[in-house]
């Protein structure tokens, strides 16, 4: 089980692992996120920094971000503050251990001194006061930062999380707390919640409860054990932190419990992150399959368009052949007669004459049979492409319905129904043509055998049948 929990640290949220540099945050949230990297005593330090901005519209209509806006923030470390940035600072586990020993004072543990100095350093770099920053600390590698966004028009929620539960998982209310003040982080789940909604102080405080419930549910589903009490289910770690940042452009929200839409988005985003390796792999596979299906929509639609043009062209070719056969003309039989005559002229030995003729007959019969391959292909592929063209937009449509985006849902439904109709229409037309074409092919094969016998006898000087077989069945 410990190895299983260790996978949480290595594979965090496969669908949206952020490796370095700028981190994508939805534009409606009005925030810029990036990772600062440095070293201390040869050990890595990585800080996730999220700054807040407001959009300014210039005279020419361009929108430019101005990173200067304060946001109402609640932090389990700093309480309520009007912050200009939030930071999730991570450092190598050995570095945490080192600073806890070297920086401790009589009043503070070394980890808190180190965190405060780190905050001051980042504040100086950003050109703001350290009091304007809400901060969390962790030993989890920031390269495994998980970013999850959930939307329901007009709400947007983005959760940025780092996690580790290998050595510090505990069950609240059961495991013993042995420290008056915490020591260095050994396993921590840090949750940063961003939203465009204007949350009241009460809603922000309730969001911490919702996020904690979702994290605990994920720990339970993963069956993460307590690191301190045998055979006990963990509910989190002893150093978990949460920061909630209120938005400025969205609707005002006063409650973020599970029955509220905003609470649902927060809970699902946190649960998706904290679901552990098994659920993360599943989410990764689902995201990968969704990506494949989304990418396939254009080829499917393009294939249906090409299939439609081919069926139209084939209908013209079929009509021409039908009119020719009504007039007693069969191009395949005429072409076979020419091939057979040429083979008879080239044959020099009567001993091998039957072999040469048989080879021409078999080649021509195979050509007539394979001439039906394309029409059979259309019969089978048409409905398959139509079904794919229906199911792919249906996924987008259901997602749009969940978000209340009715125009987008309607557009996806139009695409879904159109593709299935086109695919079935191509298949039906191809099937009707194939019924007639197969009849023609069977008749042509029978006529080829007759022509072969007739021309072979004429070439060898043998008597021929008194009357030719009726060809009307082959030509009409």
């Amino acid at each position: 089980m410990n190895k299983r929990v260790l996978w949480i640290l290595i594979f965090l949220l496969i669908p949206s692992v952020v490796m370095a540099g700028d981190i994508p945050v939805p534009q409606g949230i009005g925030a810029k996120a990036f990772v600062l990297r440095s070293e201390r005593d040869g050990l890595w330090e990585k800080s996730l920094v999220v700054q807040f901005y407001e959009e300014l519209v210039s005279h020419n209509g361009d929108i430019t971000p101005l990173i200067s806006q304060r946001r109402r923030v609640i932090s389990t470390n700093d309480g309520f503050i009007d912050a200009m940035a939030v930071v999730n600072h991570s450092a190598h586990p050995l570095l945490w251990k080192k600073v806890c020993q070297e920086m401790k004072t009589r009043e503070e543990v070394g980890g808190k001194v180190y965190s405060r100095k780190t905050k001051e350093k980042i504040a100086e770099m950003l050109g703001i006061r350290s009091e304007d920053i809400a901060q969390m600390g962790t030993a989890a590698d920031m390269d495994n930062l998980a970013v999850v966004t959930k939307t329901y028009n007009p709400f947007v929620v983005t959760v940025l999380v780092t996690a580790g539960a290998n050595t510090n998982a505990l069950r609240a209310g059961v495991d013993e707390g042995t420290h008056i003040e915490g020591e260095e982080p050994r396993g921590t789940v840090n949750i940063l919640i961003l939203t465009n909604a204007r949350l009241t102080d009460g809603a922000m405080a309730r969001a911490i409860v919702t996020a904690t419930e979702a994290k605990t549910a994920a720990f339970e589903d993963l069956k993460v054990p307590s690191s301190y009490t045998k055979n006990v289910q963990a509910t989190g770690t002893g150093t978990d932190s949460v920061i909630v940042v209120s938005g400025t452009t969205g609707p005002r929200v006063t409650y973020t419990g599970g029955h509220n839409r905003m609470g649902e988005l927060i809970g699902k985003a946190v649960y998706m992150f904290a679901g552990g390796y098994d659920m993360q792999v599943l989410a990764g596979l689902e995201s990968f399959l969704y990506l494949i299906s989304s990418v396939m929509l254009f080829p499917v639609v393009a294939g249906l368009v090409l299939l439609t043009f081919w069926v139209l062209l084939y209908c013209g070719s079929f009509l021409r052949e039908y009119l020719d056969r009504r007039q007693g003309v069969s191009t395949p039989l005429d072409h076979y007669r020419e091939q057979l005559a040429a083979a008879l002229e080239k044959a020099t030995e009567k001993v091998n004459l039957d072999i040469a003729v048989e080879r021409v007959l078999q080649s021509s019969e195979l050509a007539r049979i394979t001439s039906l391959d394309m029409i059979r292909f259309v019969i089978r592929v048409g409905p398959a492409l139509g079904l794919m063209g229906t199911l792919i937009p249906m996924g987008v449509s259901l997602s749009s319905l969940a978000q209340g985006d009715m125009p987008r849902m309607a557009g996806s439904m139009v695409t879904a129904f159109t593709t299935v109709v086109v695919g079935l229409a191509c298949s039906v037309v191809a099937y009707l043509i194939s019924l007639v074409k197969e009849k023609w092919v069977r008749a042509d094969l029978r006529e080829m055998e007759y022509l072969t016998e007739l021309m072979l006898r004429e070439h060898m000087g043998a008597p021929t049948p008194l009357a030719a077989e009726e060809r009307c069945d082959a030509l009409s």
Side-chain angles (χ1 to χ4, degrees):
M1 180 60 71
N2 288 335
K3 289 184 178 180
R4 189 180 184 187
V5 176
L6 180 61
W7 283 110
I8 303 176
L9 301 172
I10 303 173
F11 297 99
L12 265 179
L13 202 65
I14 289 175
S16 53
V17 171
V18 180
M19 296 305 296
D22 288 346
I23 298 167
V25 176
Q27 185 176 3
I29 290 180
K32 180 181 180 181
F34 55 93
V35 175
L36 296 176
R37 299 173 183 273
S38 60
E39 283 190 3
R40 183 187 182 98
D41 299 332
L43 301 173
W44 57 259
E45 294 177 307
K46 303 173 186 178
S47 299
L48 168 66
V49 179
V50 180
Q51 288 182 278
F52 313 123
Y53 67 82
E54 56 183 349
E55 294 178 348
L56 298 180
V57 181
S58 61
H59 296 293
N60 58 5
D62 295 335
I63 299 178
T64 58
L66 177 63
I67 304 175
S68 62
Q69 190 180 55
R70 290 184 180 273
R71 296 285 179 85
R72 188 65 169 166
V73 171
I74 184 173
S75 167
T76 51
N77 292 328
D78 302 302
F80 279 105
I81 64 173
D82 293 324
M84 299 183 69
V86 294
V87 173
N88 185 9
H89 176 71
S90 66
H92 194 284
L94 294 179
L95 181 56
W96 279 109
K97 185 175 182 179
K98 184 175 182 179
V99 298
C100 283
Q101 293 174 352
E102 296 179 353
M103 292 187 174
K104 65 180 179 179
T105 65
R106 292 182 177 180
E107 293 77 19
E108 288 183 299
V109 296
K112 289 207 171 191
V113 176
Y114 170 66
S115 296
R116 186 177 69 253
K117 290 183 177 298
T118 300
K119 181 192 289 190
E120 293 171 353
K121 179 180 177 181
I122 295 175
E124 182 180 359
M125 184 181 303
L126 299 178
I128 59 179
R129 300 180 309 158
S130 61
E131 294 82 0
D132 294 329
I133 295 178
Q135 185 182 41
M136 300 181 287
T138 180
D141 195 334
M142 198 58 64
D143 287 346
N144 294 325
L145 172 68
V147 182
V148 182
T149 296
K150 292 291 184 180
T151 61
Y152 185 91
N153 193 35
F155 298 118
V156 180
V157 173
T158 295
V159 174
L160 301 95
V161 191
T162 54
N166 191 36
T167 61
N168 198 27
L170 58 77
R171 182 174 184 85
V174 174
D175 292 332
E176 182 182 358
T178 58
H179 299 277
I180 302 300
E181 286 289 331
E183 53 187 10
E184 74 277 2
R186 294 181 297 171
T188 301
V189 178
N190 284 349
I191 303 173
L192 170 58
I193 301 173
L194 305 173
T195 180
N196 66 331
R198 294 178 291 115
L199 305 178
T200 63
D201 287 354
M204 295 170 69
R206 185 57 176 82
I208 295 178
V209 177
T210 301
T212 303
E213 290 173 346
K215 177 198 66 178
T216 301
F219 268 56
E220 182 177 357
D221 289 343
L222 182 59
K223 302 187 185 307
V224 178
S226 168
S227 301
Y228 304 96
T229 305
K230 187 177 180 180
N231 298 325
V232 170
Q233 171 72 55
T235 57
T237 79
T239 52
D240 293 348
S241 296
V242 180
I243 292 179
V244 181
V245 181
S246 175
T248 59
T249 60
R252 184 173 182 267
V253 175
T254 61
Y255 181 69
T256 53
H259 295 295
N260 180 276
R261 185 66 70 179
M262 179 59 64
E264 174 197 345
L265 297 179
I266 293 173
K268 287 184 175 180
V270 173
Y271 181 85
M272 179 179 291
F273 138 73
Y277 176 69
D278 295 339
M279 283 177 282
Q280 290 166 21
V281 170
L282 178 60
L285 294 176
E286 290 175 349
S287 298
F288 181 67
L289 292 176
Y290 177 77
L291 177 62
I292 293 178
S293 66
S294 299
V295 171
M296 289 182 65
L297 180 59
F298 177 77
V300 167
V301 174
L304 285 172
V305 172
L306 293 176
L307 207 64
T308 302
F309 280 113
W310 185 90
V311 169
L312 293 175
L313 293 175
Y314 197 83
C315 285
S317 174
F318 171 78
L319 180 60
R320 179 179 178 180
E321 185 177 0
Y322 174 77
L323 295 176
D324 289 343
R325 287 179 179 270
R326 293 287 293 179
Q327 296 175 3
V329 178
S330 176
T331 302
L333 289 179
D334 294 340
H335 183 62
Y336 173 72
R337 186 182 288 106
E338 295 174 358
Q339 286 183 317
L340 184 59
L344 292 174
E345 290 178 2
K346 291 180 180 179
T348 57
E349 299 181 6
K350 291 186 178 181
V351 177
N352 298 325
L353 183 61
D354 58 336
I355 297 177
V357 170
E358 182 66 21
R359 183 178 180 85
V360 174
L361 176 61
Q362 290 180 357
S363 299
S364 299
E365 287 179 341
L366 179 61
R368 291 300 295 141
I369 293 174
T370 55
S371 67
L372 297 173
D373 288 349
M374 188 60 189
I375 197 70
R376 290 169 177 168
F377 174 80
V378 174
I379 294 174
R380 289 166 174 78
V381 171
L385 289 179
L387 181 61
M388 292 174 65
T390 299
L391 296 180
I392 295 173
M394 284 294 288
V396 178
S397 180
L398 292 175
S399 176
S400 301
L401 178 62
Q403 298 175 19
D405 191 348
M406 302 304 292
R408 187 183 180 194
M409 185 197 75
S412 298
M413 293 295 290
V414 169
T415 302
F417 290 133
T418 301
T419 53
V420 72
V421 169
V422 171
L424 290 175
C426 290
S427 177
V428 169
V429 173
Y431 176 72
L432 295 177
I433 293 177
S434 70
L435 293 178
V436 180
K437 291 283 290 185
E438 289 177 359
K439 176 184 175 183
W440 289 348
V441 169
R442 287 194 298 268
D444 286 346
L445 295 180
R446 187 169 61 251
E447 188 67 14
M448 285 177 182
E449 294 177 357
Y450 171 76
L451 287 175
T452 303
E453 184 70 21
L454 180 64
M455 295 180 67
L456 184 60
R457 291 190 179 190
E458 289 178 351
H459 183 76
M460 299 182 65
T464 59
L466 297 177
E469 183 180 339
E470 294 289 341
R471 296 178 60 197
C472 60
D473 59 345
L475 302 177
S476 61

